[in-house]
Amino acid sequence: MTIGSAMKAIIDGFEFSGTLQGVEEIKTGHINSTYRLSFAQPDSSVREYVLQHINGVAFKKPDEVMENVQLVTEHLRQAMQEKGEDPENRVLRVVPVRGGGILLLDANGGSWRAYDFIVNAESRDQAESPAQFGEVGRAFGRFQNMLADFPIARLHETIPDFHDTRKREAAFEASVAKADPARAAEAAGEIAFVRARKEAMCRIVDMIEAGELPLRVTHNDTKINNVMLDRDTGEALCVIDLDTVMAGSALYDFGDAVRFGASTAVEDERDLSRVALDIDLFRGFAEGFIAETARGLTETELLNLPLGALVMTYEVGMRFLTDYLDGDVYFRTAYSDHNLVRARCQFKLLSDMERRRGEMDAIVRELIEKYR
Ligand code: ADP
Ligand code: GN1
Ligand code: MG
């Protein structure tokens, strides 16, 4: 892509090494704007970085996001070193801003940060096989384990009430009340779908409130494309997208990964006959995740992991629907009813999960037995 003077000034603000060669936009991800930068080095090798504009609608306090990222990456680096592992290319490394700090403000008040590029790796939007998805499950399980001794109180809440289902429902109702009438009419069936499940889907927040589920340091956005996989070996190298690492339930991390990665279709599939739960992918992810966490999570957490999948699918579907009713202000969209298409797809998937809950529970029970 051609590099304008504004972009050039932003790039010059970071301590990148070498001579800028190219900038390419990475379009995966619904929130931030991400660019892959390549720099020629004096020895004629090429070094790459990721430059990101932090979405100011989603993240009101980017400096707090970066404080969290700094703390969490330092902790992960140390945890790996203690286990005798090399953290190079396995933990995000923040590139400093020239003159100090790790957050750069542009002329319009926008916030930018940069990371070393995770090399020889790819992020995928769909799993190729249950084994590959299992590798992603292990990555999120290990992530959970390495942060088990992180002091939760030091983390900022980067998006308040991010997975508070009840507050999400209240926001949804407020959006229904002030929605454009044509959009509300178009989404009538989906609005009813949400309303029919309101109480049942608050089960996780209720259990947290009752002290039945503990709060842990969780990733909270565990899509398969937030794990970088080694291009040659398929090994999970690095968990990325740490902007929502906050206090949460392990059920959220398990559930959101299943929602996105164990679907037979992409997140915005229009042909709903293609959308279902892929039970083999579910088992693959569950096996990786439970193998890592069986001894760290409580029995109640483990037994309720499938509930996490249902609740996260409901919640994200409701958030897409809310954004559709709001006029598409939050998630990046490619066409006018994109958020409605995404919501319908989530609700089809949720219906299938409801039908197959027994199978999910049985698999999880079997894996708990195997790994505890
Ligand atoms: P978003 O919040 O928009 O999802 P992400 O931080 O997940 O933003 O970045 C979007 C995509 O950019 C990722 O899915 C991944 O493909 C790529 N990416 C992000 N960080 C890195 C990195 N450090 N190295 C290599 N690729 C990256
Ligand atoms: C967003 O940033 P990204 O694309 O990984 C969103 C998640 C949703 C997801 C749905 C900060 O994730 O909460 O589950 O889209 N992230 C934020 O695909 O809102
Ligand atoms: Mg992402």
Side-chain angles (χ1 to χ4, degrees):
M1 100 184 198
T2 48
I3 308 162
S5 60
M7 185 61 138
K8 185 80 178 60
I10 291 159
I11 294 171
D12 285 344
F14 287 89
E15 285 188 9
F16 296 128
S17 80
T19 312
L20 183 64
Q21 241 182 1
V23 178
E24 193 192 310
E25 185 168 2
I26 298 178
K27 298 219 167 93
T28 323
H30 300 332
I31 303 296
N32 296 315
S33 303
T34 307
Y35 303 88
R36 173 180 188 159
L37 312 183
S38 49
F39 287 79
Q41 305 301 305
D43 65 359
S44 74
S45 64
V46 174
R47 187 160 169 190
E48 294 188 298
Y49 299 94
V50 157
L51 175 69
Q52 275 185 327
H53 176 255
I54 302 178
N55 182 320
V57 174
F59 300 101
K60 308 285 186 224
K61 297 178 179 169
D63 50 330
E64 293 190 353
V65 171
M66 291 314 288
E67 261 182 56
N68 279 9
V69 168
Q70 190 77 306
L71 287 172
V72 166
T73 52
E74 273 166 16
H75 188 95
L76 291 172
R77 205 166 281 118
Q78 206 177 333
M80 284 184 193
Q81 277 160 346
E82 280 165 14
K83 287 197 287 179
E85 292 168 7
D86 181 4
E88 176 70 26
N89 213 39
R90 289 171 184 268
V91 180
L92 283 178
R93 193 193 72 90
V94 177
V95 178
V97 170
R98 291 190 196 281
I102 51 173
L103 192 68
L104 184 129
L105 284 187
D106 67 24
N108 305 314
S111 301
W112 296 77
R113 48 105 186 277
Y115 296 117
D116 282 349
F117 203 81
I118 303 298
V119 300
N120 198 39
E122 58 172 359
S123 72
R124 310 182 52 90
D125 284 325
Q126 280 189 294
E128 229 165 36
S129 64
Q132 183 184 57
F133 202 26
E135 182 59 18
V136 173
R138 269 189 293 282
F140 283 122
R142 283 196 300 265
F143 183 86
Q144 170 76 230
N145 291 341
M146 286 189 285
L147 291 167
D149 60 345
F150 184 96
I152 289 195
R154 293 189 70 188
L155 287 177
H156 298 288
E157 197 178 4
T158 54
I159 299 181
D161 307 313
F162 192 55
H163 288 316
D164 186 324
T165 317
R166 238 177 250 294
K167 295 213 171 120
R168 291 283 184 193
E169 287 174 345
F172 161 75
E173 286 300 342
S175 296
V176 174
K178 62 178 171 48
D180 163 60
R183 284 199 168 208
E186 189 63 32
E190 288 69 34
I191 293 170
F193 183 97
V194 169
R195 287 180 171 157
R197 286 161 179 78
K198 270 186 166 175
E199 260 321 297
M201 291 293 116
C202 285
R203 181 88 185 109
I204 299 181
V205 285
D206 288 349
M207 287 173 87
I208 292 173
E209 253 167 50
E212 294 164 22
L213 288 173
L215 284 179
R216 301 181 183 277
V217 176
T218 45
H219 183 284
N220 295 308
D221 186 4
T222 49
K223 298 202 290 198
I224 184 174
N225 61 27
N226 286 330
V227 175
M228 302 302 299
L229 301 167
D230 189 299
R231 271 187 205 285
D232 301 322
T233 65
E235 187 196 355
L237 290 174
C238 182
V239 171
I240 62 168
D241 203 346
L242 305 178
D243 301 342
T244 52
V245 175
M246 292 181 272
S249 165
L251 276 57
Y252 300 149
D253 281 4
F254 180 87
D256 196 46
V258 167
R259 168 193 78 77
F260 190 86
S263 171
T264 51
V266 288
E267 197 184 40
D268 54 359
E269 175 60 60
R270 250 181 205 281
D271 178 356
L272 296 182
S273 69
R274 299 171 70 166
V275 183
L277 174 71
D278 183 324
I279 202 77
D280 297 326
L281 287 176
F282 173 83
R283 175 187 279 277
F285 181 85
E287 175 129 31
F289 188 85
I290 294 172
E292 289 293 333
T293 58
R295 280 167 301 277
L297 302 184
T298 65
E299 173 113 14
T300 306
E301 283 175 298
L302 290 165
L303 288 171
N304 281 288
L305 290 174
L307 174 67
L310 274 75
V311 170
M312 291 310 298
T313 306
Y314 164 81
E315 187 187 286
V316 174
M318 178 170 62
R319 289 174 61 199
F320 285 144
L321 186 56
T322 303
D323 200 31
Y324 176 72
L325 297 170
D326 287 347
D328 309 320
V329 292
Y330 187 88
F331 296 104
R332 194 186 352 264
T333 50
Y335 48 89
S336 73
D337 63 346
H338 202 165
N339 274 315
L340 182 60
V341 168
R342 287 170 174 152
R344 286 183 174 147
C345 183
Q346 299 310 293
F347 296 155
K348 173 69 199 301
L349 179 61
L350 174 56
S351 301
D352 201 41
M353 287 179 177
E354 287 171 344
R355 200 169 59 79
R356 306 182 76 176
R357 175 72 188 271
E359 280 174 76
M360 294 163 90
D361 283 340
I363 290 170
V364 164
R365 275 197 301 271
E366 175 198 321
L367 293 169
I368 299 170
E369 283 282 293
K370 182 168 171 189
Y371 290 103
R372 257 217 149 165

